[in-house]
C-alpha cells in the first residue's frame, strides 16, 4: 500500500450548496460524486451517473456500502413516470441447523451471512433500463472504470471510514475482512493517506469485462460461492444464481400538493410515507421549526408509524402487508388524533442499527434517480468472500426467529429492509430527490429534512445542517431515549423532558445522526440546488 499522503484542500472539503441549470449529482464521497458528474458531462444520463457513483462508493465508502450488499433505486423520466428497483438478496435455500434453538440471529460473522447480495443485480438492471428506456449510450465497462481506477491506484482514506475503523478497533477479531483490507500491511492508513484495494479492483475488472450477472452465475460467482462456503455461510452458488432485483411501481402518499414516492415492502418506505401522512394533518406553518413543539410532533408521528412497521412489515411474498390500510386517509386521521401535543407516548420498542450510502442524480433531459445501497451495519458481516475483496453484508440479522412474526426467516425469503430513498413529485415531475443513511433513523431523518424543505422552504444545505433527533439506541448509547443534537438548545431539551421524553445529548453535527443528501429541481426557474450532509465526506456537484 502506498503510504504517501493524499490530501483534499480544505476549501474544497467545506460543505456548500451546489447550483446548476443543467445537471447535478450528490453522494457521501466527493470522488464518487465527481465520477458521476463526469458521466453527465460526457452526455450520460442520471441512471448512468448513479451507477458510476455507486461503483465508486463500493471502493471509497466500504464501511457503509459495497458489492456484497443490497441496493435500491427510484428512477423517474421527465414526464414523472417512476419505477423502483429493489435489489434485495434472499435467504439461503437451505437454512443452517444451528438456527434452531437460537433466540436471535448473530449480528456479525458467517452466521449473519444468510442472504445473497442484490446490489450488483439492481445496478445491472438499472443499466438495462437506462439503455432500453432512457436512451443510455455509455457502456457498462465505462461506468465501472472510475471505480476500478480508485481501487487499483488508491484514494485518500476518508474521515468517515477512519471514524468507524477506530470505533471498531477493539472488534477486529470479529471483522476479519476489515482487518485484511485495512491492516494488510501493518497499521491502518491515516486520514488523507492513499489507500488501495487490489482484490476489489480485480473483481470490478471482472464485472466490467464479463457483465454484471457474472457476480451471480459466472466465474466470479464461483469464486464468491467458494469464499462464502469457506467462511461458514450457508449460501451456495445456486442461491447466487437465483438472485434477481425487482422492478416495481412505487408506493405513493400525497403531501402538501405533491406526491411522495417510496419502495414497496419489505422496505420501510411505507413507514416514511405513514409518518409524512400523519404530519400532513398538522399545520406545520404555525409550528416554529426547531422548537420543542416541532420535535415533539415529529417524534410522536414516528412512534405511531414504527408500531405499525414492527407489527407487520415483511416480504409480501410470504406475508400480507396492509400498505393500503396503513396509508388510507381514515387510518392517518386516526393516527394524527392519537398525537398528544402535551405528552410523549411511551417507547419500549427495539432499535435496529445500520449504515447506508445515498446517491442522487438529475440530468439535463429531466431524468432523475434517488438511490440507496447498503451492507447493513458498518462493515456488514465483517467477513470477506474469499479473495474477491468483497465484504459481505449481514442483512440476514434483520430476520426474526419468532415463527409467529411475519418477518421470521424462511428459505428464499427477503428480510425486512430499512432502506427507503424517495422522490417528491410536483405537477407530475420530480421536484425533490432525497434519502439518508441510518437504518431505523432513516424515516426519522427524512421526516426532519422533508418538513424543512417542503414546509419551511429551506434550501438543501440548510435543511441538512439543522439539528436532528434519533429515537432509540445508538452504537454508543444503548438506552431507548430520544437523542437530540446539542445545538437544538437547552430550552428545547428542557421542554421535551417536561412532556415526558427521556432525552440524551448527541454532539452537534454527530455522525450518528445520519448522512442524508438532497437535490431540489425547480422547473419554473430551470435551476437545481443540492447538498450532502456536512456530517459526511460527501458533496453535491452541478454541471
Amino acid at each position: 500500500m502506498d503510504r504517501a499522503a493524499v490530501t483534499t484542500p480544505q476549501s474544497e472539503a467545506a460543505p456548500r450548496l451546489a447550483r446548476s441549470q443543467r445537471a447535478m449529482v450528490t453522494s457521501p464521497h466527493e470522488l464518487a460524486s465527481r465520477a458521476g458528474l463526469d458521466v453527465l458531462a460526457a452526455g450520460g444520463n442520471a441512471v448512468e451517473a448513479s451507477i458510476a457513483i455507486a461503483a465508486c462508493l463500493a471502493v471509497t465508502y466500504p464501511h457503509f456500502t459495497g458489492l456484497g450488499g443490497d441496493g435500491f433505486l427510484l428512477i423517474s423520466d421527465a414526464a414523472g413516470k417512476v419505477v423502483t428497483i429493489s435489489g434485495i438478496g434472499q435467504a439461503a435455500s437451505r437454512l443452517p441447523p444451528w438456527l434452531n434453538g437460537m433466540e436471535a440471529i448473530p449480528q456479525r460473522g458467517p452466521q449473519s451471512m444468510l442472504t445473497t447480495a442484490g446490489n450488483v443485480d439492481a445496478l445491472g438492471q438499472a443499466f438495462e433500463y437506462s439503455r432500453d428506456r432512457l436512451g443510455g449510450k455509455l457502456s457498462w465497462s465505462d461506468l465501472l472504470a472510475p471505480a476500478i481506477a480508485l481501487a487499483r491506484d488508491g484514494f485518500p482514506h476518508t474521515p468517515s471510514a477512519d471514524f468507524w475503523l477506530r470505533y471498531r478497533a477493539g472488534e477486529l477479531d470479529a471483522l476479519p475482512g476489515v482487518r485484511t483490507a485495512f491492516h494488510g500491511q501493518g497499521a491502518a492508513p491515516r486520514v488523507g493517506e492513499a489507500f488501495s484495494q487490489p482484490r476489489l479492483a480485480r473483481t470490478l475488472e471482472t464485472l466490467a469485462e464479463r457483465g454484471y450477472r457474472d457476480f451471480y452465475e459466472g466465474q466470479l460467482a464461483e469464486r464468491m460461492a467458494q469464499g462464502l462456503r469457506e467462511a461458514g455461510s450457508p449460501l451456495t452458488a445456486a442461491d447466487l444464481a437465483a438472485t434477481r432485483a425487482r422492478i416495481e411501481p412505487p408506493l405513493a402518499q400525497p403531501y402538501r400538493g405533491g406526491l411522495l414516492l417510496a419502495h414497496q415492502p419489505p422496505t420501510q418506505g411505507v413507514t416514511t410515507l405513514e409518518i409524512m401522512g400523519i404530519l400532513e394533518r398538522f399545520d406545520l406553518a404555525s409550528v416554529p421549526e426547531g422548537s420543542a413543539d416541532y420535535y415533539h410532533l415529529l417524534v410522536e408521528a414516528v412512534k405511531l408509524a414504527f408500531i405499525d412497521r414492527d407489527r407487520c412489515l415483511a416480504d409480501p411474498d410470504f406475508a400480507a402487508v396492509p400498505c393500503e390500510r396503513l396509508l388510507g386517509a381514515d387510518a392517518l386521521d386516526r393516527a394524527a388524533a392519537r398525537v398528544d401535543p402535551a405528552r410523549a407516548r411511551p417507547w419500549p420498542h427495539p432499535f435496529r442499527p445500520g449504515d447506508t450510502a445515498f446517491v442522487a442524480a438529475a440530468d439535463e433531459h429531466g431524468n432523475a434517480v434517488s438511490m440507496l445501497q447498503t451492507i447493513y451495519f458498518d462493515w456488514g458481516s465483517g467477513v470477506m468472500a474469499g479473495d474477491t475483496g468483497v465484504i459481505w453484508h449481514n442483512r440476514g440479522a434483520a430476520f426474526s426467529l419468532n415463527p409467529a412474526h411475519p418477518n421470521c426467516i424462511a428459505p428464499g425469503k427477503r428480510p425486512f429492509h430499512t432502506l427507503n430513498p424517495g422522490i417528491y413529485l410536483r405537477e407530475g415531475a420530480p421536484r425533490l430527490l432525497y434519502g439518508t443513511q441510518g437504518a431505523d433513523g432513516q424515516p426519522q431523518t427524512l421526516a426532519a429534512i422533508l418538513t424543512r424543505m417542503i414546509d419551511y422552504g429551506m434550501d438543501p444545505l440548510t435543511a441538512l445542517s439543522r439539528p436532528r433527533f434519533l429515537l432509540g439506541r445508538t452504537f454508543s448509547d444503548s438506552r431507548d431515549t430520544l437523542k437530540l443534537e446539542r445545538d437544538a438548545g437547552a430550552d428545547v431539551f428542557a421542554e421535551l423532558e417536561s412532556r415526558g421524553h427521556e432525552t440524551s445529548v448527541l454532539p452537534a453535527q454527530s455522525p450518528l445522526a445520519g448522512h442524508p443528501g438532497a437535490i431540489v429541481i425547480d422547473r419554473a426557474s430551470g435551476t437545481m440546488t443540492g447538498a450532502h450532509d456536512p456530517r459526511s465526506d460527501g458533496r453535491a456537484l452541478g454541471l
Side-chain angles (χ1 to χ4, degrees), residues 114-433:
L114 301 176
T115 62
T116 62
N119 192 23
V120 173
D121 196 70
L123 295 176
Q125 290 203 40
F127 172 77
E128 293 178 349
Y129 186 90
S130 164
R131 180 194 61 203
D132 299 341
R133 306 289 183 89
L134 302 178
K137 295 180 174 58
L138 300 184
S139 70
W140 173 254
S141 59
D142 285 342
L143 299 179
L144 267 54
I148 293 170
L150 289 170
R152 181 189 62 230
D153 302 334
F155 59 93
H157 183 51
T158 66
S160 180
D162 184 71
F163 174 90
W164 289 105
L165 197 60
R166 290 178 183 275
Y167 194 88
R168 301 299 183 189
E171 305 174 41
L172 287 181
D173 286 345
L175 306 170
V178 179
R179 183 174 53 203
T180 297
F182 283 83
H183 293 262
Q185 295 186 11
R190 295 185 296 271
V191 172
E193 285 187 330
F195 171 67
S196 61
Q197 299 185 70
R199 297 179 185 87
L200 186 57
R202 290 192 292 272
T203 292
L204 286 164
E205 288 171 344
T206 300
L207 287 175
E209 294 167 2
R210 301 181 61 85
Y212 71 95
R213 284 303 300 178
D214 203 72
F215 190 92
Y216 302 97
E217 299 175 287
Q219 295 178 4
L220 184 56
E222 293 178 5
R223 291 171 52 211
M224 205 75 65
Q226 179 180 348
L228 291 167
R229 181 176 62 254
E230 291 174 350
S233 167
L235 295 170
T236 66
D239 291 325
L240 295 179
T243 304
R244 291 288 191 284
R246 302 190 187 190
I247 299 180
E248 300 171 316
L251 294 176
Q253 174 61 40
Y255 192 80
R256 311 297 189 210
L259 206 59
L260 294 164
L261 304 179
H263 283 78
Q264 296 189 31
T267 80
Q268 64 177 343
V270 64
T271 305
T272 295
L273 297 185
E274 185 178 354
I275 293 167
M276 299 307 295
I278 294 170
L279 293 176
E280 191 181 31
R281 277 131 177 95
F282 293 88
D283 180 18
L284 286 181
S286 67
V287 178
E289 185 277 328
S291 66
D293 287 340
Y294 172 77
Y295 289 114
H296 176 79
L297 180 57
L298 267 62
V299 170
E300 294 306 292
V302 165
K303 289 177 180 177
L304 291 165
F306 273 24
I307 290 169
D308 287 335
R309 182 199 70 174
D310 294 341
R311 183 171 56 237
C312 64
L313 257 186
D315 187 341
D317 290 350
F318 289 76
V321 183
C323 292
E324 288 189 14
R325 177 176 62 79
L326 294 175
L327 299 180
D330 290 345
L332 294 172
D333 288 344
R334 288 193 298 270
R338 295 171 64 193
V339 174
D340 185 340
R343 197 68 190 164
R345 178 178 296 275
W347 188 247
H349 298 278
F351 178 81
R352 296 177 179 87
D355 290 300
T356 307
F358 174 69
V359 173
D363 63 35
E364 57 190 327
H365 307 295
N367 304 306
V369 174
S370 183
M371 175 171 63
L372 279 168
Q373 49 181 9
T374 179
I375 52 173
Y376 200 20
F377 287 18
D378 58 290
W379 310 110
S381 68
V383 179
M384 191 177 292
D387 63 352
T388 64
V390 174
I391 294 178
W392 209 258
H393 64 163
N394 59 332
R395 186 61 63 170
F399 277 118
S400 170
L401 289 180
N402 178 1
H405 196 282
N407 189 45
C408 183
I409 191 169
K413 188 175 184 177
R414 297 175 299 160
F416 162 80
H417 233 291
T418 53
L419 272 70
N420 64 129
I423 291 178
Y424 181 54
L425 300 180
R426 286 292 296 266
E427 299 176 348
R431 165 72 173 173
L432 175 59
L433 315 176

